[in-house]
Amino acid sequence: MRAHKLTLTALAVAAGLSLTACQNDDGGTGQSSPSSASSASSSGGGSGSGGSDQGGGKDSAGKDSPGQSSAGKGSAGQGTAAGAGSKESGKVAKCRTDELGITAKDGTIDGDPDGTVLVELKNRGGRSCTISGYAGVDLKTNAGSLSAKRTGEQAPSTVLKDGQSTAFGITYPFNTSGGSGVRVTGLLVTPPNETKTVSLPWPGAATLPVTDGSGSPVKVGPIGSAGQGG
């Protein structure tokens, strides 16, 4: 009976030890699981980070890069627009006939071999404008219209601020023939690159000498050739 009890006791102790070992093993597994999970999480997080970075790199190359590229294009576009805007603002619009106050006066100086009429063009458009070249000039006479011939001088480009003026000269021969000559009744001026004409009184000598038809005796200089004022 004693031997049987000892045997049972030994079995109970062995079972207890086995159970403890099992519990320790389970506990180790339980502890190792969080550790493993933590490692896996850490490892996964690292990979995810790397994946994110790589994904980010891919996105940068794939999605973000085009976005940045678009932004770049947008910047370039804005730059271009700004440049265009700068160029457009830098490019002053030409002076229009309706924006100009055009007047004519006698500019003949005593002793000159020819008569001179000065035509002034004043900017009244409320903005700066540019003007260059030759104006179209025709004299109305009792014998018909007489077109002035260009002198051929270099035509400077002039930017007129609002309220500023520029001028050009018209030269014509005096009628010293003793005859009645050709009577001048008016002056027609068309600003450069414009089609609208302004009609003005003729402030010069009343008559021109009769020509032999070899060419116009009236000459016109370029815009700005007769000075510029404010």
Side-chain angles (χ1 to χ4, degrees):
M1 192 68 169
R2 183 180 180 81
H4 185 63
K5 284 182 180 179
L6 287 173
T7 301
L8 288 176
T9 302
L11 286 173
V13 171
L17 290 173
S18 176
L19 182 59
T20 301
C22 286
Q23 286 176 352
N24 285 338
D25 287 341
D26 290 341
T29 302
Q31 289 174 1
S32 77
S33 288
S35 219
S36 298
S38 177
S39 295
S41 174
S42 175
S43 174
S47 280
S49 236
S52 264
D53 293 341
Q54 290 172 3
K58 287 180 184 177
D59 286 341
S60 291
K63 293 182 182 176
D64 291 346
S65 278
Q68 290 175 359
S69 178
S70 296
K73 287 182 182 174
S75 293
Q78 288 174 359
T80 304
S86 297
K87 288 181 181 175
E88 285 301 321
S89 58
K91 284 183 181 178
V92 181
K94 68 179 182 179
C95 298
R96 300 285 187 180
T97 302
D98 291 337
E99 298 174 323
L100 296 170
I102 304 175
T103 55
K105 65 182 179 180
D106 184 16
T108 304
I109 298 174
D110 289 341
D112 283 353
D114 295 315
T116 302
V117 166
L118 292 179
V119 178
E120 183 182 76
L121 303 96
K122 185 171 186 176
N123 180 10
R124 294 178 178 173
R127 63 181 178 85
S128 295
C129 65
T130 184
I131 189 167
S132 65
Y134 285 78
V137 171
D138 294 281
L139 272 61
K140 293 189 290 185
T141 76
N142 62 335
S145 181
L146 178 66
S147 295
K149 185 178 179 181
R150 295 178 179 182
T151 60
E153 296 173 66
Q154 183 69 32
S157 180
T158 303
V159 175
L160 294 180
K161 292 182 179 179
D162 184 39
Q164 283 190 326
S165 301
T166 187
F168 64 89
I170 301 170
T171 58
Y172 60 94
F174 292 119
N175 181 18
T176 58
S177 65
S180 59
V182 178
R183 184 166 55 88
V184 183
T185 59
L187 173 64
L188 300 175
V189 176
T190 308
N193 304 309
E194 282 290 280
T195 56
K196 188 171 183 179
T197 300
V198 174
S199 181
L200 304 169
W202 172 251
T207 64
L208 299 175
V210 177
T211 65
D212 57 6
S214 60
S216 174
V218 182
K219 303 290 175 66
V220 57
I223 298 290
S225 61
Q228 180 176 344

